[in-house]
Amino acid sequence: MTMPLVLPQMSTSVGRAGVTGGEAAGEPASEETDSPRHGNEHTGSALLQAVLTRENLQAAFKRVRANKGAAGVDGLDIEQTARHLVQAWPAIRDELFAGTYRPQPVRRVMIPKPDGSQRELGIPTVTDRLIQQALLQVLQPLLDPTFSEHSYGFRTGRRAHDAVLTAQSYVQSGRRIVVDVDLEKFFDRVNHDILIARLQKRIPDAGVIRLIRAYLNSGIMDGGVVVERHEGTPQGGSLSPLLANVLLDKVDKELEHRGHHFVRYADDCNVYVRSLRAGERVMGLLRRLYARLRVKINETKSAVASVFTDRKFLGYSFWVAPKGVVKRRVAAKVLTTFKQRIRELTRRSGGRSMQQVVDRLRSYMLGWKGYFRLSQTPGVWRTLDEWIGHRMRAIQLKQ
């Protein structure tokens, strides 16, 4: 069963509506926090109709299928959802237009992090992933051009590598002090009212705003119990990165207005300056700006320091080669995590065949080397290759 069998039941007669971009400057945080929620506005908006066109939904389902992913709280995988929507979609569509659709809670999944802590993911149902993806495909082209040029995360035509190269250019220009800001559990603590106020300034469309609010309030299921959420945009849904950019763009624009050299990728922001004193001033500014958004800086992980003290950005750090040339390398902590993973994959007591070890190792190595191909330390690669080769020979000898 494929999604196109469902889509003939959906509206196909409308196109996209124009949306005003940009936002007013200098609004106080209290106005955002106290922003009223929508009440009885008509939600059959042209923008929502654009989201629900047959063509847009077909493209959204294709992307959801390509991304694969586990089932949500309803237990339905992608193909089961496609069959379910043959009968269920007309009622869901009517609820979406009426503004009465209520997304199902997301399923909580905890992912271990290298430092021993855990990162929370919220897995939506496939139906809600489809609707979120359809929203994203309409909203992103409208919102993305309004974001700062210093923002690189989850934006069309921009990659993490672009952010790293920009950061390197700032360091090469003499800005060798970094204001490295880590936001404490950012995606878990996004203030809904402030975020919705930011969206309303960019998307004056009651139907879409109401639907996004419903997703923010959908709750999270843990151990069979649904927990209400009054803050946060759980990672796992298609909309979360876009909503993060909408919220944090306010800080970007203020830094931009003041002429700072910075790079932001999602909730990871580095500002590059020429002195520690300037760095401390910028850190003080960022504390104030994030506080207005009700976002907290993790003071333990954040710092004003020399770029060359192995402060990492998106897995990379910088070093100075002869003649003062600034170059890229894999950050020390990332390299340690990599070696730990290689040890796990090449344990001699794993009870696996040599081919199984090679297959698992190849998959991991290809992804890792693909991302860190910007590293300018060939000697490190040679040392790693020799070390991995030694471990593989040890497995072969044991077998």
Side-chain angles (χ1 to χ4, degrees), residues 300-357:
T300 301
K301 295 184 178 180
S302 301
V304 178
S306 167
V307 170
F308 306 120
T309 56
D310 203 42
R311 302 301 303 184
K312 64 183 177 70
F313 180 61
L314 301 178
Y316 284 89
S317 60
F318 302 109
W319 61 288
V320 182
K323 299 182 181 180
V325 177
V326 175
K327 292 193 174 184
R328 306 172 297 272
R329 64 183 175 191
V330 182
K333 290 182 180 179
V334 176
L335 203 56
T336 298
T337 301
F338 169 77
K339 296 181 77 171
Q340 289 173 345
R341 182 58 179 155
I342 294 298
R343 290 188 183 96
E344 293 171 2
L345 293 173
T346 57
R347 285 198 306 264
R348 282 173 281 181
S349 59
R352 292 162 294 176
S353 68
M354 188 65 171
Q355 189 59 51
Q356 288 175 319
V357 173

Side-chain angles (χ1 to χ4, degrees), residues 54-302:
R54 177 180 180 179
E55 294 78 10
N56 191 52
L57 286 163
Q58 284 179 326
F61 191 77
K62 184 177 181 180
R63 177 59 64 88
V64 169
R65 173 174 278 152
N67 289 342
K68 300 179 181 178
V73 297
D74 61 359
L76 300 179
D77 63 21
I78 293 173
E79 302 309 321
Q80 290 170 327
T81 299
R83 292 192 291 271
H84 167 71
L85 289 178
V86 172
Q87 300 298 324
W89 181 255
I92 294 174
R93 177 195 58 204
D94 290 346
E95 290 176 357
L96 287 165
F97 278 126
T100 59
Y101 178 74
R102 294 296 176 264
Q104 295 191 64
V106 297
R107 180 169 61 86
R108 175 177 282 163
V109 176
M110 304 304 292
I111 306 298
K113 297 172 68 174
D115 62 3
S117 62
Q118 292 185 315
R119 179 165 59 98
E120 179 183 295
L121 292 183
I123 309 300
T125 64
V126 177
T127 297
D128 285 321
R129 296 210 294 271
L130 167 66
I131 297 170
Q132 285 195 38
Q133 182 63 36
L135 271 169
L136 179 68
Q137 290 169 182
V138 171
L139 296 181
Q140 185 139 19
L142 301 172
L143 293 172
D144 196 86
T146 71
F147 294 149
S148 167
E149 66 178 40
H150 298 274
S151 169
Y152 290 84
F154 306 101
R155 298 185 61 189
T156 304
R158 293 187 161 216
R159 308 169 302 159
H161 285 172
D162 298 323
V164 171
L165 291 173
T166 300
Q168 182 184 13
S169 72
Y170 292 153
V171 179
Q172 186 65 67
S173 71
R175 295 171 176 84
R176 301 192 172 190
I177 300 297
V178 61
V179 184
D180 185 356
V181 175
D182 181 89
L183 299 181
E184 189 171 298
K185 297 184 178 180
F186 169 73
F187 285 95
D188 299 334
R189 295 179 177 174
V190 169
N191 183 286
H192 290 177
D193 289 330
I194 294 177
L195 173 58
I196 290 297
R198 300 242 63 78
L199 280 169
Q200 287 171 337
K201 294 177 185 297
R202 298 166 185 257
I203 309 173
D205 186 290
V208 168
I209 294 295
R210 190 192 299 271
L211 182 54
I212 292 174
R213 169 77 81 170
Y215 274 111
L216 292 174
N217 293 339
S218 62
I220 188 163
M221 181 173 285
D222 186 13
V225 178
V226 177
V227 180
E228 291 186 2
R229 293 191 75 104
H230 303 290
E231 62 179 4
T233 60
Q235 295 180 77
S238 302
L239 284 176
S240 289
L242 179 65
L243 297 179
N245 279 335
V246 168
L247 184 67
L248 295 177
D249 187 61
K250 177 66 176 175
V251 177
D252 295 345
K253 292 293 173 57
E254 183 62 31
L255 291 173
E256 204 172 71
H257 176 71
R258 292 169 181 256
H260 289 298
H261 295 74
F262 70 99
V263 185
R264 183 176 65 80
Y265 192 96
D267 59 335
D268 198 348
C269 181
N270 278 9
V271 185
Y272 296 89
V273 297
R274 296 183 185 274
S275 70
L276 286 171
R277 186 174 180 180
E280 293 295 349
R281 286 198 300 268
V282 172
M283 181 64 86
L285 170 66
L286 289 172
R287 288 191 182 101
R288 294 192 298 274
L289 293 175
Y290 285 126
R292 292 176 190 172
L293 299 178
R294 305 294 189 267
V295 175
K296 186 177 180 181
I297 291 178
N298 186 328
E299 299 290 349
T300 301
K301 295 184 178 180
S302 301

Side-chain angles (χ1 to χ4, degrees), residues 27-38:
E27 65 277 12
S30 60
E31 290 180 7
E32 296 180 358
T33 305
D34 297 331
S35 175
R37 303 188 185 198
H38 286 283

